[in-house]
Amino acid sequence: MAATVREVAQLAGVSPSTVSRVFTAPDQVQEATRKRVTDAAQQLGYRPDPAARTLRSGRTESLGLVVPDIANPFFPPIVKAMQARARNHGYTLLVADCDEREADELETIDAIVKKVDGLVLWASTLSDGRLRELAAEIPLVLVNRHVEGIPELRISLTPGISQAAEHLRALGHTSCVFVNCSRPEHLRGKSIRETFDAQGLSVVELGPYDPRFETGLHAATLAVANGATAILAHNDLVAIGVLHQLARSGVDVPGEVSVIGIDDTLLAAMSIPALTTIRISPQAVATQAADLIVETINGAVPDRPSEVGSRLIPRASTGPAPHRA
């Protein structure tokens, strides 16, 4: 059987309340006494009950992260890096997947909101009003979603998109098909159109679709029928679907069509041909998201969004534009 507080107290020669203070408020106990208690606890194999500690302190020492689709290879490196950063802050990380659906997101939040001290929502599907209500209940950080008054981590694709447009223009392309999987409030399509237009390239937009591999299969056929010489996909997963369908249809990449993804997941370097993509650093995103939610929990609410940039990683899936009759 597990050792009890009374047994630790007896071995250390202190009261049970002193043992409790050592594990809940160690700064209130003298160092020599603290050492006797921790030595006794280690000898007996005693571990404090985290549920009881939560009841006493009102803190769970946990952070929550809700992502749209944990199966997307973009998210596992972010989860791993954010978990490490949370641990540095003294927190554990609870991760949940809402499968890109508002009803599932609400259900997920309801399930974990009482178990965490702060919550990070990635590309939330909830209304502005519901997010404001949630922010009044618990420290909240939004990633890639803007609601006035709520701390925000913004991933800026503008540098990477601008570099992608320059890259395609230098290769002789004059237009690009964008496979859009964003909801209207995220404005990714608008940003891409404006950035490409500034570089002198036109954009034909397909979608919006779900951001999945199967979308790339469908969109590739439409893009080729449209006469595209270049395709920019919403993310690497969609871009891999595009590459797969083009290969199956006998369309040469990059000889006939160039393909660009977004995220720079492990799949991008492993694909054939290796995928040109816009890189977003998982380490930078995870570090800033964890730091921002901890700051929010501690009451240091920033007055402007944090931001992570992006850059183009050229690989073998882009090449000179073919001549069209």
Side-chain angles (χ1 to χ4, degrees), residues 289-301:
D291 289 352
L292 188 54
I293 188 58
V294 170
E295 289 170 12
T296 304
I297 290 169
N298 293 332
V301 180

Side-chain angles (χ1 to χ4, degrees), residues 3 5 13 17 36 43 98-99 107-108 115 135 139 158 165 170 177 191-192 207 209-210 215 229 236 252-253 262 311:
V5 169
S17 61
R36 288 209 313 277
Q43 183 177 333
C98 66
D99 204 28
E107 185 177 326
T108 298
K115 302 175 183 177
T158 301
V177 167
S191 172
I192 287 172
Y209 304 114
D210 289 333
T215 289
T229 66
D236 287 352
D252 180 58
V253 177
I262 297 175
R311 63 189 177 95

Side-chain angles (χ1 to χ4, degrees), residues 138-300:
I138 187 173
L140 179 66
V141 164
L142 302 178
V143 181
N144 272 7
R145 176 71 188 276
H146 174 72
V147 176
E148 193 67 35
I150 300 179
E152 174 189 355
L153 174 59
R154 184 178 299 162
I155 297 175
S156 174
L157 287 175
T158 301
I161 291 170
S162 181
Q163 291 167 13
E166 291 175 1
H167 180 65
L168 291 176
R169 188 183 61 181
L171 291 170
H173 297 271
T174 59
S175 64
C176 177
V177 167
F178 172 52
V179 184
N180 188 9
C181 302
S182 297
R183 290 183 295 277
E185 65 268 24
H186 295 148
L187 302 177
R188 180 175 289 190
K190 181 174 182 288
S191 172
I192 287 172
R193 286 193 303 273
E194 290 176 351
T195 304
F196 272 56
D197 183 64
Q199 295 284 351
L201 281 84
S202 63
V203 175
V204 175
E205 190 171 318
L206 301 178
Y209 304 114
D210 289 333
R212 306 186 189 281
F213 172 82
E214 292 77 12
T215 289
L217 302 178
H218 171 69
T221 302
L222 294 180
V224 170
N226 186 267
T229 66
I231 301 171
L232 172 62
H234 174 87
N235 62 22
D236 287 352
L237 197 58
V238 174
I240 298 298
V242 169
L243 289 177
H244 185 81
Q245 180 62 28
L246 293 178
R248 193 160 61 183
S249 302
V251 177
D252 180 58
V253 177
E256 295 177 75
V257 177
S258 291
V259 180
I260 299 178
I262 297 175
D263 291 341
D264 194 27
T265 61
L266 184 61
L267 288 178
M270 296 172 62
S271 68
I272 300 175
L275 181 65
T276 295
T277 186
I278 296 170
R279 184 167 204 272
I280 302 163
S281 167
Q283 189 67 44
V285 172
T287 297
Q288 291 206 35
D291 289 352
L292 188 54
I293 188 58
V294 170
E295 289 170 12
T296 304
I297 290 169
N298 293 332

